[in-house]
Amino acid sequence: MPAASLETAADPEELPEAGPFDEVAREAVYRAIESRRDVRNEFLPTPIADVVLRRLLAAAHAAPSVGLSQPWSFILVREPETKRRVAEIFGRRNAEAATMFEGERADAYRRLKLEGIETAPLNICVVCDRARGGPVVLGRTHQRDVDLYSTVCAVQNFWLAARAEGIGVGWVSIFEPDDLKPVFGLPHHVAVVAYLCVGHVDRLHGRPELEARRWGARAPLADVVSDERWGAGSLLFER
């Protein structure tokens, strides 16, 4: 394809400005990021209105993707029987996971509520079609897994938009991805990236639940930023 055909035909004057949001809009974005929580046990039975769900899915679909391949698809799960099958898979895998911890840690793990599969009015299985875009995708020529990362970006978009709408989201990860393939009839080239429990909530934890339960603590930002090389620290936090 000639390079000229890839150039935009848009008049630069027609492009939106790239300046900062006004203070109110900017604070709303940061509030969504900072107050987002993984919801497990707080779902209300109220169904999500179709107009709201379409907005959330549109936000997910607006995510960046490698080579504009848009590899994601969203399977909406409402039927109790489907949820039950997924919950049974989780139950088996969660029992396995519990054996990987020892002593007090194992006891603490078993007390955690780690999913809301049958409680949430809506589940969403987010998958990545690894064949979408053809055998050669711009930007994926040397890093094959960036299609999976693109799909994760769609999940994050969905999650932040859900927070803005007052909708809770919980990401269930305690199963082997291939466990869900027969449940949803997925072909071999389609990978499960996320299984989400989604529904209205009337409250959220003030801080991550695992932090509140002393399972772990958020690392200081300065501990994960370096200048130029791994582990060098950053002058950004010394000024």
Side-chain angles (χ1 to χ4, degrees), residues 11-84:
D11 185 329
E13 294 183 358
E14 297 177 357
L15 297 176
E17 294 184 4
F21 292 179
D22 63 54
E23 184 176 356
V24 173
R26 185 173 64 247
E27 289 302 314
V29 172
Y30 285 112
R31 180 186 173 197
I33 293 169
E34 292 165 1
S35 63
R36 179 215 57 81
R37 294 290 179 264
D38 192 6
V39 177
R40 302 185 180 102
N41 204 31
E42 295 81 26
F43 292 109
L44 303 175
T46 311
I48 300 171
D50 287 350
V51 64
V52 175
L53 182 56
R54 281 194 291 267
R55 284 201 296 265
L56 300 183
L57 293 170
H61 193 51
S65 64
V66 61
L68 200 59
S69 57
Q70 304 160 85
W72 47 71
S73 289
F74 309 94
I75 302 173
L76 308 181
V77 182
R78 298 187 180 90
E79 292 295 328
E81 175 59 20
T82 309
K83 293 179 184 178
R84 183 192 64 77

Side-chain angles (χ1 to χ4, degrees), residues 126-154:
V126 185
V127 301
C128 175
D129 184 346
R130 310 210 68 186
R132 194 168 294 169
V136 181
V137 176
L138 187 156
R140 196 183 164 207
T141 53
H142 293 77
Q143 296 190 47
R144 300 299 296 168
D145 288 346
V146 287
D147 59 336
L148 300 174
Y149 308 156
S150 297
T151 305
V152 172
C153 287

Side-chain angles (χ1 to χ4, degrees), residues 10 31 40 59 71 78 95 104 107-108 115-116 118 123 133 135 138 145 155 160 174 200 215 229 233 236:
R31 180 186 173 197
R40 302 185 180 102
R78 298 187 180 90
E104 292 183 1
D107 293 337
E115 51 80 27
E118 295 183 277
N123 293 185
L138 187 156
D145 288 346
V155 173
L160 294 176
I174 302 173
H200 287 279
W215 184 268
R229 58 186 291 274
L236 181 65

Side-chain angles (χ1 to χ4, degrees), residues 120 122-126 155 158-159 169-172 194-198:
L122 175 67
N123 293 185
I124 303 179
C125 185
V126 185
V155 173
F158 183 94
W159 212 335
V169 178
W171 185 330
V172 183
Y195 194 86
L196 307 178
C197 303
V198 185

